[in-house]
Amino acid sequence: MEQNQSVYDWKQIVDRLQQYLRLKTTPIGMKLFATREEMEAIHRVRRPQAIHTADQIVAQAARLGWTVGITADDLVSPQCGVVLGLHPRTEEWLSGKDMAGVWFENEQEAAAHQQAMAVVPFGHYEAMAVSPLISQRFTPDICLLYGTPGQMILFINGLQWSGYKKLEWSVVGESSCADSWGRALSTGEPSLSIPCFAERRYGGVLDDELLMALPPEFLLKALDGLEQLSKNGLRYPIPQYGVQMDVRAGLQHSYG
C-alpha cells in the first residue's frame, strides 16, 4: 500500500496553483479505500472522535490542514455515506422522506432528488480519507479546489487550452457534494459545483467559493493551460479595465 510515495510532485503542483490562482483555501485530496485497515495505515491519519457530516471531514483537511480518515460509522446519516459509496442506496434512502417538506414539497419530489444524485457505487469501499495535497500522505483519487468564480473560470480556461471540450455540469441543489466529489469519483471527470447550504453551514465553505473536484491528471492539464494563458497576459487576479473606457486598446493587448 502506498504511503508517502507518489508519482506526483505535490509541492510543485500546489506552488503552481498558488502562482496562477492565489487560492485562499488549502487544496486537498480525497481517496477511497477498499478496507478500513488500509485507511488507518496512512501516516498520522486522524480518526473522528465525534459524529460528523462528510462536509465537516472535508473541511478539516481544507480549513485545518488535517489528514482525516472515516468509515460510514463516523457519518451522521446515510446521505453522506451513499455519495462516497460507503452506504447502499436503500429504499428508505431513495425515498428521500427526511427531506420532504424541508427541501422539497413532498416525498415524490424528494425521491426524484435522490435519484438524480451522482454517487459512488456501493460495495467496493469501506473507508475514505482526505488530506492537504502538500502533505503527500497518499495519491488521491480526486483533488478538491475551493475558489471564487473568477479563479474557477480561469482554471476551466486552463483545462480547455488543449484538447478542447465543452464542459457541462448539473445542480442537484441540496446535497451538492454529489455534484462535486460524488460525480468526480464516479465518472473520473472534472466536476464543478455550487456548494450547498449544508456545505456552507457545516463545512465552512465561504460565501464566494465554488468547488472543483477532479482526478490529478486533469489538475496537471489545467496547470499547463494556465501557464500558457499567463504567458498571454490572461492572469488572476483579472484586472478591471473600466466600464466607460474605449475597449480597443485592451482588446489589442490580447488579440493584436
Side-chain angles (χ1 to χ4, degrees):
M1 145 119 196
E2 64 178 315
Q3 292 289 315
N4 296 335
Q5 298 185 7
S6 169
V7 297
Y8 297 98
D9 184 341
W10 291 112
K11 183 181 185 306
Q12 182 188 61
I13 289 170
V14 172
D15 285 347
R16 292 178 76 196
L17 275 171
Q18 294 308 104
Q19 176 184 351
Y20 296 126
L21 294 181
R22 306 187 189 185
L23 299 175
K24 294 182 180 179
T25 302
T26 302
I28 68 171
M30 175 183 287
K31 187 174 181 64
L32 296 172
F33 294 87
T35 67
R36 174 177 180 156
E37 290 73 23
E38 287 180 296
M39 174 270 288
E40 292 182 337
I42 298 170
H43 179 60
R44 299 186 68 180
V45 66
R46 296 173 184 251
R47 296 284 285 114
Q49 301 302 306
I51 298 299
H52 294 300
T53 65
D55 311 319
Q56 290 176 296
I57 300 301
V58 168
Q60 288 172 16
R63 315 288 162 176
L64 305 179
W66 295 356
T67 298
V68 187
I70 61 163
T71 66
D73 293 338
D74 299 306
L75 298 174
V76 68
S77 76
Q79 193 72 5
C80 296
V82 169
V83 175
L84 294 166
L86 305 181
H87 190 282
R89 296 168 80 240
T90 62
E91 289 300 315
E92 182 176 5
W93 184 87
L94 286 168
S95 75
K97 63 180 183 180
D98 290 340
M99 290 189 168
V102 180
W103 290 105
F104 308 102
E105 182 178 17
N106 52 46
E107 286 195 25
Q108 181 180 354
E109 307 299 337
H113 167 267
Q114 300 295 84
Q115 288 283 356
M117 291 172 59
V119 304
V120 177
F122 176 70
H124 302 283
Y125 305 104
E126 289 184 357
M128 181 274 281
V130 286
S131 181
L133 294 176
I134 202 167
S135 297
Q136 304 189 79
R137 299 294 172 82
F138 49 76
T139 299
D141 296 325
I142 58 171
C143 305
L144 304 180
L145 310 177
Y146 289 94
T148 66
Q151 290 165 330
M152 285 300 174
I153 189 57
L154 270 180
F155 185 85
I156 291 165
N157 295 149
L159 274 174
Q160 294 174 323
W161 170 259
S162 64
Y164 177 84
K165 178 182 178 182
K166 181 180 180 180
L167 298 173
E168 297 183 282
W169 297 295
S170 59
V171 179
V172 297
E174 182 55 27
S175 305
S176 65
C177 57
D179 297 324
S180 53
W181 57 77
R183 183 178 183 276
L185 287 168
S186 60
T187 68
E189 294 290 331
S191 301
L192 183 72
S193 76
I194 305 172
C196 63
F197 183 94
E199 288 180 80
R200 297 181 192 276
R201 178 169 171 82
Y202 302 108
V205 178
L206 302 180
D207 195 47
D208 63 349
E209 285 184 319
L210 302 176
L211 172 57
M212 174 68 78
L214 73 174
E217 61 267 26
F218 286 100
L219 177 54
L220 293 180
K221 182 177 186 294
L223 285 170
D224 289 342
L226 282 166
E227 181 177 351
Q228 296 302 317
L229 293 173
S230 180
K231 291 176 181 178
N232 294 338
L234 305 171
R235 306 184 185 102
Y236 186 86
I238 302 168
Q240 295 290 314
Y241 187 75
V243 298
Q244 292 181 292
M245 297 291 290
D246 186 321
V247 76
R248 289 172 291 183
L251 288 174
Q252 186 176 13
H253 180 77
S254 295
Y255 297 103

